[in-house]
């Protein structure tokens, strides 16, 4: 803990600005795009790798979450990351359970938060801890986790955390599937079925000019084309409040979708312009 703090302090003393990319490892091209963005906007890049138990609920995939530290370190070395912080759970939570945590407000109970109670409290708590440990100038997140991005931005604003947030667009496979560490759980059939999410978002975008009802109907239709997928939620939100838009809303909106393919929960989102 002191090691990473001292190393960042030394970078700062040398006049470097520091960008920080928090991850849970199992790095893919989406993460590496965050690292490249961090390199482009700061002098030094710090990446954390920590599978945070606090943001997994009972019965979720904490135990089987992919852990690929050696290949992650190799990829980060190739990308020129200056520092990798990969603490153990005991280092991050020396007292075991936390006595104090960050609690997401109402938005944290919706969508992902409704399906994964406590997830966002655990996520914000570890992000706050990582911010305090690393003390970056800029923290870089992926738009793929849109609700996480909204809540981290709000935490930073609500608690006057002294850093800037940089958001990087979702990186997709050539066929449209959003990159995710959880894609590794999918077999070939599941991988094909998972395309329902990006197809739903494309359908939503195509129908955006026709208003909310049409967007929801067209997007839901994409799920009818696939077997073996269970839609969790499909919702259109105002990106400034993250609350569902009203009937008749126009302008920029964000479509959020989550679904379960076999035992794998996947999320995706896209901005649309409601007409
Ligand atoms: O997006 C993630 O990988 C995690 O939620 C984060 C931000 C690293 C916190 O554990």
């Amino acid at each position: 803990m002191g090691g990473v703090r001292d190393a960042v302090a030394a970078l700062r003393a040398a006049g470097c600005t520091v960008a920080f990319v928090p991850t849970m490892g199992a790095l893919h091209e989406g993460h590496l795009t965050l690292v490249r963005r961090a390199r482009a906007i700061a002098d030094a890049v710090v990446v954390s790798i920590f599978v945070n138990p606090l943001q997994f609920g009972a019965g979720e995939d904490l135990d089987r979450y992919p852990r690929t530290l050696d290949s992650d370190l190799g990829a980060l070395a190739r990308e020129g990351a200056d520092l990798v912080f990969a603490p153990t759970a005991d280092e991050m939570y020396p007292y075991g359970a936390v006595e104090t945590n960050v609690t997401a407000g109402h938005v944290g109970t919706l969508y992902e938060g409704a399906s994964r109670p406590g997830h966002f409290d655990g996520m914000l708590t570890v992000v706050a801890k990582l911010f305090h440990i690393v003390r970056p100038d800029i923290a870089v997140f992926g738009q793929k986790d849109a609700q996480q991005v909204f809540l981290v931005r709000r935490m930073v604003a609500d608690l006057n955390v002294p850093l800037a947030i940089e958001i990087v667009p979702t990186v997709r496979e050539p066929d449209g599937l959003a990159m995710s560490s959880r894609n590794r759980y999918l077999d070939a059939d599941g991988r094909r079925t998972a395309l329902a999410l990006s197809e739903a978002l494309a359908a939503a975008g195509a129908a955006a000019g026709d208003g909310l009802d049409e967007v929801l109907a067209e997007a839901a239709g994409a799920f009818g084309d696939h077997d073996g997928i269970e839609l969790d939620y499909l919702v259109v939100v105002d990106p400034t409040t993250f609350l569902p838009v009203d009937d008749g809303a126009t302008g920029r909106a964000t479509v959020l979708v989550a679904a379960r393919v076999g035992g794998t929960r996947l999320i995706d989102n896209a901005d649309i312009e409601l007409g």
Side-chain angles (χ1 to χ4, degrees):
M1 211 71 73
V4 69
R5 244 195 207 141
D6 292 349
V8 173
L11 287 167
R12 281 180 181 290
C16 293
T17 53
V18 175
F20 172 50
V21 183
T23 81
M24 297 204 301
L27 302 182
H28 51 66
E29 193 56 25
H31 296 110
L32 301 183
T33 304
L34 303 184
V35 174
R36 284 174 209 138
R37 182 70 192 141
R39 274 174 56 82
I41 59 177
D43 301 316
V45 176
V46 181
V47 179
S48 66
I49 297 175
F50 179 60
V51 182
N52 172 36
L54 216 56
Q55 68 188 73
F56 288 78
E60 290 191 9
D61 57 346
L62 173 62
D63 290 340
R64 72 169 183 138
Y65 196 84
R67 287 159 173 88
T68 58
L69 187 59
D70 287 347
S71 69
D72 291 350
L73 293 175
L76 292 173
R78 285 191 293 281
E79 293 298 332
D82 296 271
L83 212 61
V84 179
F85 177 51
T88 62
D90 285 346
E91 283 172 307
M92 286 299 280
Y93 300 112
Y95 302 100
V98 288
E99 185 73 16
T100 309
N101 68 353
V102 180
T103 306
H106 175 60
V107 170
T109 67
L110 305 175
Y111 330 125
E112 280 305 281
S115 294
R116 306 183 64 192
H119 166 67
F120 286 121
D121 295 357
M123 179 280 293
L124 288 177
T125 300
V126 84
V127 168
K129 284 167 70 75
L130 291 166
F131 285 173
H132 285 300
I133 294 164
V134 177
R135 302 188 203 177
D137 299 290
I138 308 168
V140 184
F141 291 84
Q143 177 61 23
K144 156 81 169 29
D145 296 299
Q147 193 175 1
Q148 168 169 284
V149 163
F150 176 87
L151 291 169
V152 169
R153 277 191 197 281
R154 279 302 303 263
M155 177 180 75
V156 165
D158 288 342
L159 302 183
N160 301 88
V161 183
L163 51 74
I165 297 287
E166 176 77 8
I167 305 304
V168 175
T170 302
V171 180
R172 296 180 180 280
E173 303 285 357
D175 60 7
L177 182 69
M179 290 199 185
S180 163
S181 302
R182 291 189 168 96
N183 291 350
R184 306 171 189 230
Y185 299 150
L186 300 169
D187 61 16
D189 281 349
R191 173 70 183 67
R192 268 190 298 278
T193 303
L195 286 179
L197 282 87
S198 52
E199 287 170 6
L201 296 175
D210 299 326
L212 180 62
D213 288 347
E214 205 56 26
V215 164
L216 292 172
E218 289 297 318
F223 287 87
D225 301 338
H226 294 271
D227 292 328
I229 187 163
E230 189 191 324
L231 180 60
D232 180 353
Y233 59 79
L234 171 66
V235 61
V236 182
V237 303
D238 177 337
T240 63
T241 61
F242 236 74
L243 298 176
V245 298
D246 296 326
D247 278 349
T250 56
R252 199 163 82 85
T254 304
V255 186
L256 308 176
V257 63
R260 192 171 281 280
V261 178
T264 304
R265 205 154 170 289
L266 300 171
I267 60 172
D268 202 352
N269 70 89
D271 284 346
I272 59 171
E273 195 69 26
L274 281 172

